[in-house]
Coordinates of all heavy atoms in Angstrom, one line a residue:
M18 N -131.0 102.7 -52.6 CA -131.5 101.3 -52.3 C -130.3 100.4 -52.5 O -130.2 99.4 -51.7 CB -132.6 101.0 -53.3 CG -133.1 99.6 -53.1 SD -134.8 99.7 -52.8 CE -135.2 98.0 -52.6
A19 N -129.4 100.6 -53.5 CA -128.3 99.7 -53.7 C -127.4 99.7 -52.4 O -126.8 98.7 -52.1 CB -127.5 100.1 -54.9
M20 N -127.3 100.8 -51.8 CA -126.4 100.9 -50.6 C -127.0 100.1 -49.5 O -126.3 99.5 -48.7 CB -126.2 102.4 -50.2 CG -125.4 103.2 -51.2 SD -125.1 104.8 -50.6 CE -123.5 104.6 -50.0
L21 N -128.3 100.0 -49.4 CA -129.0 99.2 -48.3 C -128.7 97.7 -48.6 O -128.4 97.0 -47.6 CB -130.5 99.5 -48.3 CG -130.9 100.8 -47.7 CD1 -132.4 100.9 -47.8 CD2 -130.6 100.7 -46.2
L22 N -128.8 97.3 -49.8 CA -128.5 95.9 -50.1 C -127.1 95.5 -49.9 O -126.7 94.5 -49.3 CB -128.9 95.6 -51.5 CG -130.4 95.7 -51.9 CD1 -130.6 95.4 -53.4 CD2 -131.1 94.6 -51.1
A23 N -126.1 96.4 -50.2 CA -124.7 96.1 -50.0 C -124.4 96.1 -48.5 O -123.5 95.3 -48.1 CB -123.9 97.2 -50.7
A24 N -125.1 96.8 -47.7 CA -124.8 96.8 -46.3 C -125.2 95.6 -45.6 O -124.7 95.3 -44.5 CB -125.5 98.0 -45.7
T25 N -126.0 94.7 -46.2 CA -126.4 93.5 -45.6 C -125.4 92.4 -45.7 O -125.5 91.3 -45.1 CB -127.8 93.0 -46.1 OG1 -127.7 92.8 -47.5 CG2 -128.9 94.1 -45.9
V26 N -124.4 92.5 -46.6 CA -123.4 91.5 -46.7 C -122.3 91.7 -45.7 O -121.8 92.8 -45.5 CB -122.7 91.6 -48.1 CG1 -121.6 90.6 -48.3 CG2 -123.8 91.4 -49.2
S27 N -122.0 90.7 -44.9 CA -121.0 90.8 -43.8 C -119.7 90.3 -44.3 O -119.6 89.6 -45.3 CB -121.5 90.0 -42.6 OG -121.4 88.6 -42.9
A28 N -118.7 90.6 -43.6 CA -117.3 90.1 -44.0 C -117.2 88.6 -43.9 O -116.4 88.0 -44.6 CB -116.3 90.8 -43.0
D29 N -118.0 88.0 -43.1 CA -118.0 86.5 -42.9 C -118.5 85.8 -44.2 O -118.2 84.7 -44.5 CB -118.9 86.1 -41.8 CG -118.3 86.5 -40.4 OD1 -117.1 86.6 -40.3 OD2 -119.1 86.7 -39.5
D30 N -119.3 86.5 -45.0 CA -119.8 86.0 -46.3 C -118.8 86.0 -47.4 O -119.0 85.4 -48.4 CB -121.1 86.7 -46.7 CG -122.2 86.6 -45.7 OD1 -122.3 85.6 -45.0 OD2 -123.1 87.5 -45.6
L31 N -117.8 86.8 -47.3 CA -116.8 87.0 -48.3 C -115.6 86.0 -48.2 O -115.2 85.7 -47.1 CB -116.3 88.4 -48.3 CG -117.3 89.5 -48.5 CD1 -116.7 90.9 -48.4 CD2 -118.0 89.4 -49.9
R32 N -115.2 85.4 -49.3 CA -114.0 84.5 -49.3 C -112.7 85.3 -49.4 O -112.6 86.2 -50.3 CB -114.2 83.5 -50.4 CG -113.1 82.5 -50.4 CD -113.2 81.6 -51.7 NE -112.1 80.7 -51.7 CZ -110.9 81.0 -52.1 NH1 -110.6 82.2 -52.4 NH2 -109.9 80.0 -52.2
D33 N -111.7 84.9 -48.6 CA -110.4 85.6 -48.7 C -109.7 85.0 -49.9 O -109.4 83.8 -49.9 CB -109.7 85.3 -47.4 CG -108.3 85.9 -47.4 OD1 -107.9 86.5 -48.4 OD2 -107.6 85.7 -46.4
P34 N -109.4 85.7 -50.9 CA -108.8 85.2 -52.1 C -107.3 84.7 -51.9 O -106.8 84.0 -52.7 CB -108.8 86.3 -53.1 CG -108.9 87.6 -52.3 CD -109.6 87.2 -51.0
T35 N -106.7 85.1 -50.8 CA -105.3 84.7 -50.5 C -105.3 83.4 -49.7 O -104.2 82.8 -49.5 CB -104.6 85.8 -49.7 OG1 -105.2 86.0 -48.5 CG2 -104.5 87.1 -50.5
K36 N -106.4 83.0 -49.2 CA -106.4 81.8 -48.4 C -106.5 80.5 -49.3 O -107.2 80.5 -50.3 CB -107.7 81.8 -47.5 CG -107.8 80.7 -46.5 CD -109.0 80.9 -45.6 CE -109.2 79.8 -44.6 NZ -110.4 80.0 -43.8
P37 N -105.6 79.5 -49.0 CA -105.6 78.3 -49.8 C -107.0 77.6 -49.7 O -107.7 77.8 -48.8 CB -104.5 77.4 -49.2 CG -104.1 78.1 -47.9 CD -104.7 79.4 -47.9
P38 N -107.3 76.7 -50.7 CA -108.5 76.0 -50.7 C -108.6 75.1 -49.5 O -107.6 74.6 -49.0 CB -108.5 75.1 -52.0 CG -107.4 75.7 -52.8 CD -106.5 76.4 -51.9
Q39 N -109.8 75.0 -48.9 CA -110.0 74.2 -47.7 C -110.2 72.8 -48.1 O -110.8 72.5 -49.1 CB -111.3 74.7 -47.0 CG -111.1 76.1 -46.4 CD -112.4 76.5 -45.7 OE1 -113.4 75.9 -45.8 NE2 -112.3 77.5 -44.8
Q40 N -109.8 71.9 -47.2 CA -110.0 70.5 -47.3 C -111.5 70.3 -46.9 O -111.9 70.8 -45.9 CB -109.1 69.7 -46.5 CG -107.7 69.6 -47.0 CD -106.9 68.7 -46.2 OE1 -106.8 68.8 -45.0 NE2 -106.2 67.7 -46.9
R41 N -112.2 69.4 -47.7 CA -113.5 69.1 -47.4 C -113.6 67.7 -46.9 O -112.9 66.8 -47.3 CB -114.4 69.2 -48.6 CG -114.6 70.6 -49.1 CD -115.7 70.7 -50.1 NE -115.1 70.6 -51.4 CZ -115.8 70.4 -52.5 NH1 -117.1 70.1 -52.4 NH2 -115.2 70.3 -53.6
Q42 N -114.5 67.5 -45.9 CA -114.7 66.1 -45.4 C -115.5 65.4 -46.5 O -116.3 66.0 -47.2 CB -115.5 66.1 -44.1 CG -114.7 66.8 -43.0 CD -113.4 66.2 -42.7 OE1 -113.2 65.0 -42.8 NE2 -112.4 67.0 -42.3
S43 N -115.4 64.1 -46.6 CA -116.0 63.3 -47.6 C -117.6 63.4 -47.5 O -118.2 63.3 -48.5 CB -115.6 61.8 -47.5 OG -116.0 61.3 -46.3
S44 N -118.1 63.7 -46.4 CA -119.6 63.9 -46.2 C -120.1 65.2 -46.9 O -121.2 65.3 -47.2 CB -120.0 63.9 -44.8 OG -119.4 65.0 -44.1
Q45 N -119.1 66.1 -47.1 CA -119.5 67.4 -47.8 C -119.3 67.3 -49.3 O -119.7 68.2 -50.0 CB -118.7 68.5 -47.2 CG -118.9 68.8 -45.7 CD -117.9 69.8 -45.2 OE1 -116.8 70.0 -45.7 NE2 -118.4 70.6 -44.2
Q46 N -118.7 66.3 -49.8 CA -118.4 66.2 -51.2 C -119.6 65.7 -52.0 O -120.4 64.9 -51.4 CB -117.2 65.4 -51.5 CG -116.0 65.9 -50.9 CD -114.8 65.0 -51.0 OE1 -114.9 64.0 -51.7 NE2 -113.7 65.4 -50.5
P47 N -119.8 66.0 -53.2 CA -120.9 65.4 -54.0 C -120.7 63.9 -54.1 O -119.6 63.4 -54.0 CB -120.7 66.1 -55.4 CG -119.6 67.0 -55.3 CD -119.0 67.0 -53.9
A48 N -121.8 63.3 -54.3 CA -121.8 61.8 -54.4 C -121.0 61.3 -55.5 O -120.2 60.3 -55.4 CB -123.2 61.3 -54.4
A49 N -121.1 61.9 -56.7 CA -120.4 61.4 -57.8 C -119.9 62.5 -58.7 O -120.7 63.3 -59.2 CB -121.3 60.5 -58.7
I50 N -118.6 62.6 -58.8 CA -118.0 63.6 -59.7 C -117.5 62.9 -60.9 O -116.8 61.9 -60.8 CB -116.8 64.4 -59.0 CG1 -117.3 65.2 -57.8 CG2 -116.1 65.3 -60.0 CD1 -116.2 65.8 -57.0
T51 N -117.9 63.4 -62.1 CA -117.4 62.6 -63.3 C -116.2 63.3 -64.0 O -115.6 62.7 -64.8 CB -118.6 62.6 -64.3 OG1 -119.0 63.9 -64.6 CG2 -119.7 61.7 -63.8
R52 N -115.9 64.5 -63.6 CA -114.8 65.2 -64.2 C -113.8 65.7 -63.1 O -114.3 66.3 -62.1 CB -115.3 66.4 -65.0 CG -114.3 67.0 -65.8 CD -114.9 68.0 -66.7 NE -114.0 68.2 -67.8 CZ -114.4 68.6 -69.0 NH1 -115.6 68.8 -69.3 NH2 -113.5 68.7 -70.0
Y53 N -112.5 65.5 -63.2 CA -111.6 65.9 -62.2 C -110.6 66.8 -62.9 O -110.1 66.6 -64.0 CB -110.8 64.7 -61.6 CG -111.8 63.8 -60.9 CD1 -112.3 62.7 -61.5 CD2 -112.1 64.0 -59.6 CE1 -113.2 61.8 -60.9 CE2 -113.0 63.2 -58.9 CZ -113.6 62.1 -59.6 OH -114.5 61.3 -58.9
S54 N -110.2 67.9 -62.2 CA -109.3 68.9 -62.7 C -108.1 69.0 -61.7 O -108.3 69.3 -60.5 CB -110.0 70.2 -62.8 OG -109.0 71.2 -63.2
L55 N -106.9 68.7 -62.1 CA -105.7 68.8 -61.3 C -105.3 70.3 -61.4 O -104.8 70.8 -62.4 CB -104.6 67.9 -61.8 CG -103.3 67.9 -61.0 CD1 -103.5 67.6 -59.5 CD2 -102.3 66.9 -61.6
D56 N -105.5 71.0 -60.3 CA -105.2 72.5 -60.2 C -103.7 72.7 -59.9 O -103.1 73.6 -60.5 CB -106.1 73.2 -59.2 CG -107.5 73.0 -59.5 OD1 -107.9 73.0 -60.7 OD2 -108.3 72.8 -58.5
S57 N -103.2 72.0 -59.0 CA -101.7 72.2 -58.6 C -101.3 71.0 -57.8 O -102.1 70.2 -57.3 CB -101.5 73.5 -57.9 OG -102.2 73.5 -56.6
I58 N -100.0 70.9 -57.7 CA -99.3 69.9 -56.8 C -98.3 70.6 -56.0 O -97.5 71.4 -56.5 CB -98.7 68.8 -57.6 CG1 -99.7 68.1 -58.5 CG2 -97.9 67.8 -56.7 CD1 -99.1 67.0 -59.4
L59 N -98.3 70.4 -54.7 CA -97.3 71.0 -53.7 C -96.5 69.8 -53.2 O -97.0 68.9 -52.6 CB -98.1 71.7 -52.6 CG -99.1 72.7 -53.0 CD1 -100.0 73.1 -51.9 CD2 -98.5 73.9 -53.7
V60 N -95.2 69.9 -53.4 CA -94.3 68.8 -52.9 C -93.2 69.4 -52.1 O -92.6 70.4 -52.5 CB -93.7 68.1 -54.2 CG1 -92.7 67.0 -53.7 CG2 -94.7 67.5 -55.0
S61 N -93.0 68.9 -50.9 CA -91.9 69.3 -50.0 C -91.3 68.0 -49.5 O -91.7 66.9 -49.7 CB -92.4 70.2 -48.9 OG -93.1 69.5 -48.0
D62 N -90.3 68.2 -48.6 CA -89.6 67.0 -48.0 C -90.6 66.3 -47.1 O -90.4 65.1 -46.9 CB -88.4 67.4 -47.3 CG -87.3 67.9 -48.2 OD1 -87.3 67.5 -49.4 OD2 -86.4 68.7 -47.7
S63 N -91.5 67.0 -46.5 CA -92.4 66.4 -45.5 C -93.8 66.1 -45.9 O -94.5 65.4 -45.2 CB -92.5 67.4 -44.3 OG -93.0 68.6 -44.7
R64 N -94.2 66.6 -47.1 CA -95.6 66.3 -47.5 C -95.8 66.5 -49.0 O -95.0 67.1 -49.7 CB -96.6 67.1 -46.8 CG -96.5 68.6 -47.1 CD -97.5 69.4 -46.2 NE -97.4 70.8 -46.5 CZ -98.3 71.7 -46.4 NH1 -99.4 71.3 -45.8 NH2 -98.1 72.9 -46.7
R65 N -96.8 65.8 -49.5 CA -97.3 66.0 -50.9 C -98.8 66.2 -50.9 O -99.5 65.5 -50.3 CB -96.9 64.7 -51.7 CG -95.5 64.5 -51.9 CD -95.2 63.2 -52.6 NE -93.8 63.0 -52.8 CZ -93.1 63.2 -53.9 NH1 -93.8 63.5 -55.0 NH2 -91.8 63.1 -54.0
I66 N -99.2 67.3 -51.5 CA -100.6 67.7 -51.6 C -100.9 68.0 -53.0 O -100.2 68.6 -53.8 CB -100.8 69.0 -50.8 CG1 -100.4 68.8 -49.3 CG2 -102.3 69.5 -50.9 CD1 -101.3 67.9 -48.5
A67 N -102.1 67.4 -53.4 CA -102.6 67.7 -54.8 C -103.9 68.5 -54.6 O -104.7 68.2 -53.7 CB -102.9 66.4 -55.5
V68 N -104.1 69.5 -55.4 CA -105.3 70.3 -55.4 C -106.1 69.9 -56.6 O -105.8 70.1 -57.7 CB -105.1 71.8 -55.4 CG1 -106.4 72.6 -55.4 CG2 -104.2 72.2 -54.2
I69 N -107.2 69.1 -56.3 CA -108.1 68.6 -57.4 C -109.5 69.2 -57.2 O -110.1 69.1 -56.1 CB -108.2 67.0 -57.3 CG1 -106.8 66.5 -57.4 CG2 -109.1 66.5 -58.3 CD1 -106.7 65.0 -57.2
N70 N -110.0 69.8 -58.2 CA -111.3 70.5 -58.2 C -111.4 71.4 -57.0 O -112.4 71.6 -56.3 CB -112.4 69.4 -58.1 CG -112.6 68.6 -59.3 OD1 -111.9 68.8 -60.3 ND2 -113.5 67.6 -59.3
G71 N -110.3 72.1 -56.7 CA -110.2 73.1 -55.7 C -110.1 72.6 -54.2 O -110.1 73.3 -53.3
V72 N -109.9 71.3 -54.1 CA -109.8 70.6 -52.8 C -108.4 70.1 -52.6 O -107.9 69.4 -53.4 CB -110.8 69.5 -52.6 CG1 -110.7 68.8 -51.3 CG2 -112.2 69.9 -52.9
S73 N -107.7 70.5 -51.5 CA -106.4 70.0 -51.1 C -106.5 68.6 -50.6 O -107.2 68.3 -49.6 CB -105.8 70.9 -50.1 OG -105.6 72.2 -50.6
L74 N -105.7 67.7 -51.2 CA -105.8 66.3 -50.8 C -104.4 65.7 -50.7 O -103.5 66.0 -51.4 CB -106.6 65.5 -51.9 CG -108.0 65.9 -52.2 CD1 -108.5 65.4 -53.5 CD2 -108.9 65.4 -51.1
A75 N -104.3 64.7 -49.7 CA -103.1 63.9 -49.6 C -103.4 62.5 -50.0 O -104.5 62.2 -50.3 CB -102.6 63.9 -48.1
V76 N -102.3 61.7 -50.1 CA -102.5 60.3 -50.5 C -103.5 59.6 -49.5 O -103.4 59.8 -48.3 CB -101.2 59.6 -50.6 CG1 -101.4 58.1 -50.8 CG2 -100.3 60.1 -51.7
G77 N -104.4 58.9 -50.1 CA -105.4 58.2 -49.2 C -106.7 58.9 -49.1 O -107.7 58.3 -48.7
E78 N -106.7 60.2 -49.3 CA -108.0 61.0 -49.2 C -108.8 60.9 -50.5 O -108.3 60.5 -51.5 CB -107.6 62.5 -48.9 CG -107.0 62.6 -47.5 CD -106.7 64.0 -47.1 OE1 -106.4 64.9 -48.0 OE2 -106.9 64.3 -45.9
R79 N -110.1 61.3 -50.4 CA -111.0 61.1 -51.5 C -111.6 62.5 -51.9 O -111.8 63.4 -51.1 CB -112.1 60.2 -51.1 CG -111.7 58.8 -50.7 CD -112.8 57.9 -50.3 NE -113.6 57.5 -51.5 CZ -113.3 56.6 -52.4 NH1 -112.2 55.8 -52.1 NH2 -114.0 56.3 -53.4
V80 N -111.9 62.5 -53.2 CA -112.7 63.6 -53.8 C -113.7 62.9 -54.6 O -113.4 62.2 -55.5 CB -111.8 64.6 -54.6 CG1 -111.1 64.0 -55.7 CG2 -112.7 65.8 -55.1
G81 N -115.0 63.2 -54.3 CA -116.1 62.4 -55.0 C -115.9 61.0 -54.8 O -115.7 60.5 -53.7
N82 N -115.9 60.2 -55.9 CA -115.7 58.7 -55.8 C -114.3 58.3 -56.2 O -114.1 57.1 -56.5 CB -116.8 58.0 -56.7 CG -116.6 58.4 -58.2 OD1 -116.0 59.4 -58.5 ND2 -117.2 57.6 -59.1
A83 N -113.4 59.2 -56.2 CA -112.0 58.9 -56.5 C -111.1 59.0 -55.2 O -111.2 59.9 -54.4 CB -111.5 59.9 -57.5
A84 N -110.2 58.1 -55.1 CA -109.2 58.1 -54.0 C -107.8 58.4 -54.6 O -107.5 57.9 -55.6 CB -109.2 56.7 -53.4
V85 N -107.1 59.3 -53.9 CA -105.8 59.6 -54.3 C -104.8 58.5 -53.9 O -104.7 58.1 -52.7 CB -105.3 61.0 -53.7 CG1 -103.9 61.3 -54.1 CG2 -106.3 62.1 -54.0
R86 N -104.1 57.9 -54.9 CA -103.2 56.8 -54.6 C -101.8 57.2 -54.7 O -101.0 56.6 -54.0 CB -103.5 55.6 -55.6 CG -104.8 55.0 -55.5 CD -104.9 54.3 -54.1 NE -106.2 53.8 -53.9 CZ -106.9 54.0 -52.7 NH1 -106.4 54.7 -51.7 NH2 -108.1 53.5 -52.6
R87 N -101.4 58.2 -55.5 CA -100.0 58.6 -55.6 C -99.9 60.0 -56.1 O -100.7 60.4 -56.9 CB -99.2 57.7 -56.6 CG -97.8 58.0 -56.7 CD -97.0 57.0 -57.5 NE -95.6 57.4 -57.6 CZ -95.0 57.7 -58.7 NH1 -95.7 57.8 -59.8 NH2 -93.8 58.1 -58.7
I88 N -99.0 60.8 -55.5 CA -98.8 62.2 -55.9 C -97.3 62.3 -56.3 O -96.4 62.1 -55.5 CB -99.1 63.2 -54.8 CG1 -100.6 63.0 -54.4 CG2 -98.8 64.6 -55.2 CD1 -101.0 63.9 -53.2
A89 N -97.1 62.6 -57.6 CA -95.8 62.9 -58.1 C -95.6 64.4 -58.4 O -96.6 65.1 -58.2 CB -95.5 62.1 -59.4
R90 N -94.5 64.8 -58.9 CA -94.3 66.2 -59.1 C -95.1 66.8 -60.2 O -95.5 68.0 -60.2 CB -92.8 66.5 -59.5 CG -91.9 66.3 -58.3 CD -90.5 66.8 -58.6 NE -89.6 66.5 -57.5 CZ -89.5 67.3 -56.4 NH1 -90.3 68.4 -56.3 NH2 -88.7 67.1 -55.4
D91 N -95.5 65.9 -61.2 CA -96.3 66.5 -62.3 C -97.6 65.7 -62.6 O -98.3 66.0 -63.6 CB -95.4 66.4 -63.6 CG -95.1 65.0 -64.0 OD1 -95.1 64.1 -63.2 OD2 -94.7 64.8 -65.2
R92 N -97.9 64.7 -61.8 CA -99.1 63.9 -62.0 C -99.6 63.3 -60.7 O -98.9 63.2 -59.7 CB -98.9 62.8 -63.0 CG -97.9 61.8 -62.6 CD -97.4 60.9 -63.7 NE -96.7 61.7 -64.7 CZ -96.8 61.7 -66.0 NH1 -97.7 60.9 -66.5 NH2 -96.1 62.5 -66.7
V93 N -100.9 62.9 -60.7 CA -101.6 62.3 -59.6 C -102.3 61.1 -60.1 O -103.0 61.1 -61.1 CB -102.6 63.3 -58.9 CG1 -103.4 62.6 -57.9 CG2 -101.9 64.5 -58.4
L94 N -102.2 60.0 -59.4 CA -102.9 58.7 -59.7 C -104.1 58.6 -58.8 O -104.0 58.7 -57.6 CB -102.0 57.5 -59.5 CG -101.1 57.1 -60.7 CD1 -100.2 58.2 -61.1 CD2 -100.5 55.8 -60.4
L95 N -105.3 58.5 -59.5 CA -106.5 58.3 -58.8 C -107.1 56.9 -59.0 O -106.9 56.3 -60.1 CB -107.6 59.3 -59.3 CG -107.3 60.8 -59.1 CD1 -108.5 61.6 -59.8 CD2 -107.2 61.2 -57.7
E96 N -107.7 56.4 -58.0 CA -108.4 55.1 -58.2 C -109.9 55.4 -58.2 O -110.4 55.9 -57.2 CB -108.1 54.1 -57.1 CG -108.7 52.8 -57.3 CD -108.3 51.8 -56.2 OE1 -107.2 51.7 -55.8 OE2 -109.3 51.1 -55.7
I97 N -110.6 55.0 -59.2 CA -112.0 55.3 -59.4 C -112.7 53.9 -59.8 O -112.4 53.4 -60.8 CB -112.3 56.3 -60.5 CG1 -111.6 57.6 -60.2 CG2 -113.8 56.6 -60.6 CD1 -111.6 58.6 -61.3
N98 N -113.5 53.5 -58.9 CA -114.2 52.2 -59.1 C -113.3 51.1 -59.5 O -113.5 50.3 -60.4 CB -115.3 52.3 -60.2 CG -116.3 53.3 -59.9 OD1 -116.7 53.5 -58.7 ND2 -116.8 54.1 -60.9
G99 N -112.1 51.0 -58.8 CA -111.2 49.9 -59.0 C -110.2 50.1 -60.1 O -109.3 49.3 -60.3
K100 N -110.4 51.2 -60.9 CA -109.5 51.5 -62.0 C -108.6 52.7 -61.7 O -109.0 53.6 -61.1 CB -110.3 51.7 -63.3 CG -111.1 50.5 -63.7 CD -111.8 50.8 -65.0 CE -112.6 49.6 -65.4 NZ -113.4 49.8 -66.7
T101 N -107.3 52.6 -62.2 CA -106.4 53.7 -62.0 C -106.5 54.7 -63.2 O -106.5 54.3 -64.3 CB -105.0 53.2 -61.9 OG1 -104.9 52.2 -60.8 CG2 -104.0 54.3 -61.7
H102 N -106.6 56.0 -62.8 CA -106.6 57.1 -63.7 C -105.5 58.1 -63.4 O -105.3 58.3 -62.2 CB -108.0 57.8 -63.7 CG -109.1 56.9 -64.1 ND1 -109.6 56.8 -65.3 CD2 -109.9 56.1 -63.3 CE1 -110.6 55.9 -65.4 NE2 -110.8 55.5 -64.1
T103 N -104.9 58.7 -64.4 CA -103.8 59.7 -64.1 C -104.2 61.1 -64.5 O -104.7 61.3 -65.6 CB -102.6 59.3 -65.0 OG1 -102.2 57.9 -64.6 CG2 -101.4 60.2 -64.7
L104 N -104.0 62.0 -63.6 CA -104.2 63.4 -63.9 C -102.8 64.0 -64.1 O -102.0 63.8 -63.2 CB -105.0 64.1 -62.8 CG -106.4 63.6 -62.4 CD1 -106.9 64.4 -61.3 CD2 -107.3 63.8 -63.6
V105 N -102.6 64.8 -65.2 CA -101.3 65.4 -65.4 C -101.4 66.9 -65.4 O -102.4 67.4 -66.0 CB -100.7 64.9 -66.8 CG1 -99.4 65.5 -67.1 CG2 -100.7 63.3 -66.8
L106 N -100.5 67.6 -64.8 CA -100.4 69.0 -64.8 C -100.1 69.5 -66.2 O -99.2 68.9 -66.9 CB -99.4 69.6 -63.9 CG -99.8 69.7 -62.4 CD1 -98.7 70.2 -61.6 CD2 -101.0 70.7 -62.3
D107 N -100.7 70.5 -66.7 CA -100.4 71.2 -68.0 C -99.2 72.1 -67.8 O -99.3 73.1 -67.1 CB -101.6 71.9 -68.5 CG -102.7 71.0 -68.9 OD1 -102.5 69.8 -69.3 OD2 -103.9 71.4 -68.7
S108 N -98.1 71.8 -68.4 CA -96.9 72.7 -68.4 C -96.7 73.3 -67.1 O -96.7 74.5 -66.9 CB -97.1 73.8 -69.5 OG -97.3 73.3 -70.7
A109 N -96.4 72.5 -66.1 CA -96.2 73.0 -64.7 C -95.0 73.8 -64.6 O -93.9 73.3 -65.0 CB -96.2 71.8 -63.8
P110 N -95.1 75.0 -64.1 CA -93.9 75.8 -63.8 C -93.1 75.1 -62.6 O -93.7 74.5 -61.8 CB -94.4 77.2 -63.4 CG -95.8 76.9 -62.9 CD -96.3 75.7 -63.7
S111 N -91.8 75.2 -62.6 CA -91.0 74.6 -61.6 C -90.2 75.6 -60.9 O -89.5 76.5 -61.6 CB -90.1 73.5 -62.2 OG -89.3 72.9 -61.2
I112 N -90.2 75.6 -59.6 CA -89.3 76.5 -58.8 C -88.3 75.6 -58.1 O -88.7 74.7 -57.3 CB -90.1 77.3 -57.8 CG1 -91.1 78.2 -58.5 CG2 -89.2 78.1 -56.9 CD1 -92.1 78.9 -57.6
R113 N -87.1 75.8 -58.4 CA -86.0 75.0 -57.8 C -85.2 75.8 -56.8 O -85.0 77.0 -57.0 CB -85.1 74.4 -58.8 CG -85.9 73.5 -59.7 CD -85.0 72.9 -60.8 NE -85.9 72.3 -61.8 CZ -85.7 71.0 -62.2 NH1 -84.7 70.3 -61.7 NH2 -86.5 70.5 -63.1
R114 N -84.7 75.2 -55.8 CA -83.9 75.9 -54.8 C -82.4 75.7 -55.1 O -82.0 74.7 -55.6 CB -84.2 75.4 -53.4 CG -85.6 75.7 -52.9 CD -85.7 75.3 -51.5 NE -87.0 74.6 -51.4 CZ -87.4 74.1 -50.3 NH1 -86.8 74.3 -49.2 NH2 -88.6 73.5 -50.2

């Protein structure tokens, strides 16, 4: 019986663990998030991306009721209800070229 249940799961239902987090449109995000977690920051010559609560965001994009205002190498500034909040990476490893 367990084999029958396992056979009903398709490959489309499984998440690829090597794929980066997807950006979500603001209509898909919860109305109010009260806690934000800075997962990582990606900085290159051409772009800056912060991964907050598993969502990849650039400056000007939103997660919940917070707008990303600035992305630095070790921190992100969010604006929430007109107030600025800072998320800081914990002991961020650095790769230098």
Side-chain angles (χ1 to χ4, degrees):
M18 178 125 181
M20 294 183 99
L21 283 175
L22 293 175
T25 61
V26 176
S27 71
D29 293 331
D30 297 332
L31 301 175
R32 183 185 175 285
D33 180 359
T35 63
K36 188 175 179 183
Q39 293 181 344
Q40 287 184 305
R41 290 193 265 165
Q42 300 297 328
S43 59
S44 63
Q45 295 174 331
Q46 295 176 4
I50 297 175
T51 57
R52 189 171 203 155
Y53 297 95
S54 172
L55 179 57
D56 302 322
S57 63
I58 297 174
L59 309 168
V60 177
S61 73
D62 293 336
S63 61
R64 66 182 178 158
R65 291 174 180 257
I66 301 293
V68 180
I69 301 172
N70 293 357
V72 180
S73 298
L74 301 161
V76 171
E78 295 183 323
R79 300 183 70 83
V80 58
N82 60 344
V85 177
R86 292 297 175 226
R87 182 170 180 249
I88 299 173
R90 291 189 181 279
D91 65 342
R92 66 192 66 227
V93 174
L94 271 62
L95 298 178
E96 184 178 317
I97 305 169
N98 300 324
K100 295 183 181 179
T101 301
H102 299 270
T103 303
L104 300 178
V105 180
L106 275 178
D107 296 326
S108 303
S111 179
I112 299 174
R113 297 178 190 234
R114 294 185 225 185

